[in-house]
Amino acid sequence: TATQRSEKLQNLNDYDVVLTSYDLLRRDIKEYQSAFRYVILDEAHYIKNHSTLSSKAVKKIKAEVRFALTGTPIENSLSDLWSIFDFILPGYFGTYTQFKKKYEAPVMKNQNLNLLSRIHQQVAPFILRRLKKDVLKELPEKIETSLYCEMDKTQKDLYYAIYEMKEEMNSEIKTQGIERSRIKILALLMRLRQICCDPALYLENYKGESAKLQLCLQLVEECIATGHKVLIFSQFTSMLDILSKALQQKEIEHLMLTGATKTSERLALTEQFNTDHTPVFLISLKAGGTGLNLTGADVV
C-alpha cells in the first residue's frame, strides 16, 4: 500500500538494493530523496516517450551511474533514443527541440544517412551489446517461414469494395489536406487489415471464409500433431476471440492473455503454459509484448 511504501522509502539507506516498477516509481517519486550509486532501468523503452509521467519521474532520481537495458532502443522514431539518452546522459544530445531540429527531422524526412551515421558514432561508446549467440549458445537457430494465403472470392470482393474508397479519400485529401484526413486514412487502413485477418472483425454478420484464419488453424493442428507448443499473437483482441472459438470447436486446449487479464493472473497463466501440456497460448501484442518468459513454446 502507499503507506507501507512510504515507510520503506523513509529508510532507504538501510538497504543495498531497491526494486520497484515504473508505475509505483511514478506515484512515489517525491519519496525518493536519497541519492543512489546506480540506477538501472529494465525494459528501458518504457521511457521512450519523454512526455509521459513515468519518463519524467525516472529522470528525477539522483544517481552517479545510470544504466538502461532494452532490446528495442528505437521502436517508433529517433525521439525514443533521445529519451533514453536523456536519462543516461542528460544534455548529451541537448534538448529535445534541438535534437529534433538537428537530427530527427533531417533523418526521418530527408533520409539523411550521414546524420544517421553520426548518431551511431555518438551513441556507440555508451552501448554494450550482447547477441543471443554470445550468451545463449545452447539455443538453436531461429527459423523464419513466410506463408502466403489467397483470399476466397467473398473475402476478396469485400476487401476491394473497401479499397475503392481510396478514390473518395484522395479527393478529400486534395480539398482538406492530409492532416485533416489523417483519422479517416487510418480508419480505412484499419478496415483493410481487419478484413485480411477475418472480415467478421468488420462485419458482424459475415458468414464467409477467412483465408488467414483457416491457414492459422491448419498450422496449429500440424504443430500439435508433431509435439510443438504454439504462441499466437494478434493486435486485435477480437481476433483472439474468434481464434478461441475456432479452437474450442476443434477441441484444442488453449490459454488467452489480453489487456483485460488481471496482473495477478498473467504470471499464473505463463507458469501454467510453461509447465503443463496446453498446446496453444493466444496473446494480444500490447499485453504480452514485454515482461513474459514464455519458454514453454517453440513456435510463434
Side-chain angles (χ1 to χ4, degrees), residues 1-11 15 28 31:
T1 65
T3 307
Q4 290 169 324
R5 295 200 308 274
S6 181
E7 287 173 5
K8 284 180 179 290
L9 290 169
Q10 298 305 314
N11 303 304
Y15 300 94
D28 302 335
E31 308 268 9

Side-chain angles (χ1 to χ4, degrees), residues 41 71 74 105-106 119 138:
L41 299 191
I74 300 176
I119 293 173
E138 72 277 11

Side-chain angles (χ1 to χ4, degrees), residues 143-161:
I143 300 168
E144 294 191 23
T145 310
S146 297
L147 299 171
Y148 297 91
C149 47
E150 186 81 21
M151 290 187 276
D152 74 355
K153 187 176 186 308
T154 309
Q155 189 177 6
K156 192 180 286 186
D157 288 347
L158 182 58
Y159 180 91
Y160 282 109

Side-chain angles (χ1 to χ4, degrees), residues 172-174 176-183 185:
E172 184 178 311
I173 291 169
K174 286 176 184 175
Q176 296 192 19
I178 196 159
E179 284 299 323
R180 289 189 177 183
S181 308
R182 190 181 293 272
I183 299 298
I185 295 168

Side-chain angles (χ1 to χ4, degrees), residues 153-170:
K153 187 176 186 308
T154 309
Q155 189 177 6
K156 192 180 286 186
D157 288 347
L158 182 58
Y159 180 91
Y160 282 109
I162 300 296
Y163 180 75
E164 287 304 315
M165 291 173 65
K166 73 176 175 45
E167 297 302 327
E168 181 186 326
M169 190 72 68
N170 284 337

Side-chain angles (χ1 to χ4, degrees), residues 121-154:
Q121 290 171 356
Q122 285 183 264
V123 301
F126 306 102
I127 294 179
L128 182 65
R129 193 168 182 220
R130 286 287 179 269
L131 300 176
K132 185 183 75 174
K133 63 182 175 61
D134 298 328
V135 291
L136 292 171
K137 295 180 173 65
E138 72 277 11
L139 283 184
E141 284 299 308
K142 180 169 65 176
I143 300 168
E144 294 191 23
T145 310
S146 297
L147 299 171
Y148 297 91
C149 47
E150 186 81 21
M151 290 187 276
D152 74 355
K153 187 176 186 308
T154 309

Side-chain angles (χ1 to χ4, degrees), residues 152 154 198 205-210:
D152 74 355
T154 309
D198 191 321
N205 300 319
Y206 180 76
K207 301 297 181 188
E209 295 287 320
S210 161

Side-chain angles (χ1 to χ4, degrees), residues 22 41-48 67-72 84:
Y22 288 95
L41 299 191
D42 190 25
E43 306 287 5
H45 42 269
Y46 270 114
I47 67 161
K48 66 182 180 182
F67 290 97
L69 312 179
T70 175
T72 48
I84 293 174

